[in-house]
């Protein structure tokens, strides 16, 4: 009997070919939402969309762009904020 | 606008938000900058000019810029010079000489009678311990 959590669509279904040749369905948790800019809500580049345990395995430099506010603001908003600070 | 000695703020990259000085005007849209940032070529689109202009020589060296900027309160970035590492030399493989095989030690075969003697050690009778009972 299939359990309830596998009947709903909360899990992603991945087809996997087993060594025996048959295709089985594996249930995996879905990827988290894409990272967005804190000001303009634009999708951020250079931020991987992975589960926390996969993010933990990554080095710090691969988790976000290496500039001030990297992974928080998009480059446009970051530039604007630097200029605003000067004034 | 971007003449030599112009104080700017870098807008792009890992040095974004740091102040720098134009050291040299290069061809096209580029200038050479130095200061709190790394000394490097930079696109004008990535610089925000400030009002101040500092008196420095054209193509001034990094040491000259540190002398002029540090009294003004700027923390000039000093990068460590890269050490030229020597290329690892390829080691020529020298074949290890295998130890010369010496013939197996041949043990002289014993005769059947002698073999049986050698295998069966003579039983040495141990003197039986007699319990001494002493009456007090």
């Amino acid at each position: 009997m299939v359990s309830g959590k596998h009947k709903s669509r909360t899990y992603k279904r991945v087809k996997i070919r087993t060594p025996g040749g048959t295709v089985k369905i594996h249930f995996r948790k879905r990827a988290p939402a894409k990272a967005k800019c804190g000001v303009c809500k634009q999708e951020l580049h250079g931020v991987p969309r992975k589960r926390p345990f996969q993010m933990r395995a990554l080095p710090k430099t691969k988790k976000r762009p290496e500039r001030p506010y990297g992974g928080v603001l998009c480059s446009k908003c970051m530039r604007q904020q630097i200029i605003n600070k000067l004034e | 606008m971007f003449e030599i000695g112009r104080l700017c703020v870098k807008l792009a990259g890992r040095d974004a938000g740091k102040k720098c000085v134009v050291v040299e005007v290069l061809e096209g849209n580029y200038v050479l900058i130095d200061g709190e940032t790394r000394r490097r070529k930079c696109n004008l689109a990535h610089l925000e000019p400030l009002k101040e202009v500092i008196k420095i020589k054209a193509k001034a060296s990094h040491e000259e810029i540190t002398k002029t900027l540090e009294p003004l309160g700027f923390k000039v970035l000093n990068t460590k010079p890269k050490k030229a590492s020597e290329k690892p030399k390829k080691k020529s493989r020298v074949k290890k000489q295998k130890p010369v095989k010496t013939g197996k030690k041949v043990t002289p075969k014993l005769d059947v009678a002698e073999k049986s003697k050698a295998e069966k050690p003579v039983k040495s009778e141990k003197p039986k311990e007699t319990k001494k009972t002493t009456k007090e």
Side-chain angles (χ1 to χ4, degrees):
Chain A
M1 187 68 184
V2 182
S3 61
K5 64 181 180 181
H6 288 149
K7 282 194 277 186
S8 68
R9 286 281 171 174
T10 48
Y11 286 83
K12 192 185 178 186
R13 292 170 189 204
V14 186
K15 285 177 183 174
I16 276 173
R17 191 176 294 276
T18 57
T22 53
V23 177
K24 289 191 85 179
I25 289 174
H26 277 198
F27 293 90
R28 287 192 188 159
K29 287 194 172 177
R30 289 179 186 277
K34 285 177 185 174
K36 284 173 186 175
C37 171
V39 177
C40 66
K41 312 298 175 194
Q42 196 188 3
E43 283 173 10
L44 293 180
H45 296 293
V47 184
R49 195 182 169 192
K50 287 182 175 173
R51 301 235 101 218
F53 74 94
Q54 289 165 323
M55 289 290 273
R56 229 184 303 144
L58 289 176
K60 200 171 187 180
T61 50
K62 283 186 181 173
K63 286 176 196 165
R64 78 279 185 277
E66 212 165 354
R67 61 163 178 262
Y69 301 102
V72 179
L73 300 180
C74 68
S75 62
K76 272 185 186 177
C77 294
M78 185 268 299
R79 283 175 203 197
Q80 197 56 50
Q81 212 164 61
I82 290 170
I83 293 166
N84 291 347
K85 270 189 182 178
L86 294 173
E87 290 163 0
Chain B
M1 194 72 191
F2 289 97
E3 66 269 32
I4 291 165
R6 171 70 68 184
L7 208 65
C8 302
V9 176
K10 192 131 194 299
L11 293 179
R14 74 185 208 198
D15 290 329
K18 289 176 181 174
K19 288 180 182 175
C20 59
V21 173
V22 177
V23 180
E24 191 185 343
V25 181
L26 303 171
E27 279 183 20
N29 244 10
Y30 293 96
V31 286
L32 187 75
I33 57 164
D34 201 351
E36 289 179 351
T37 63
R38 294 164 290 159
R39 187 184 175 94
R40 59 173 297 168
K41 193 174 98 171
C42 181
N43 196 325
L44 296 181
H46 301 155
L47 287 175
E48 180 69 18
L50 301 175
K51 290 174 187 173
E52 300 152 40
V53 180
I54 294 163
K55 280 186 180 178
I56 52 164
K57 285 180 191 174
K59 299 180 185 177
S61 66
H62 184 69
E63 287 79 30
E64 286 171 341
I65 286 161
T66 49
K67 278 182 184 176
T68 51
L69 287 186
E70 278 185 340
L72 299 171
F74 295 102
K75 284 180 183 177
V76 179
L77 184 79
N78 288 313
T79 51
K80 286 178 187 174
K82 282 181 183 175
K83 285 183 182 177
S85 58
E86 289 181 11
K87 278 189 177 179
K89 288 178 184 176
K90 279 186 179 177
K91 286 179 184 176
S92 58
R93 284 186 181 177
V94 181
K95 280 187 178 178
K96 284 182 182 177
Q97 285 185 343
K98 287 180 181 177
V100 182
K101 280 184 180 177
T102 53
K104 284 181 182 178
K105 284 179 182 177
V106 182
T107 50
K109 283 183 180 177
L110 299 170
D111 291 333
V112 181
E114 286 177 348
K115 217 177 183 180
S116 61
K117 277 183 182 177
E119 283 176 358
K120 290 177 181 176
V122 182
K123 282 182 182 178
S124 60
E125 287 181 4
K126 287 179 183 177
K128 285 179 182 178
E129 285 180 8
T130 52
K131 284 180 182 177
K132 285 178 182 178
T133 55
T134 53
K135 287 180 181 177
E136 288 178 352

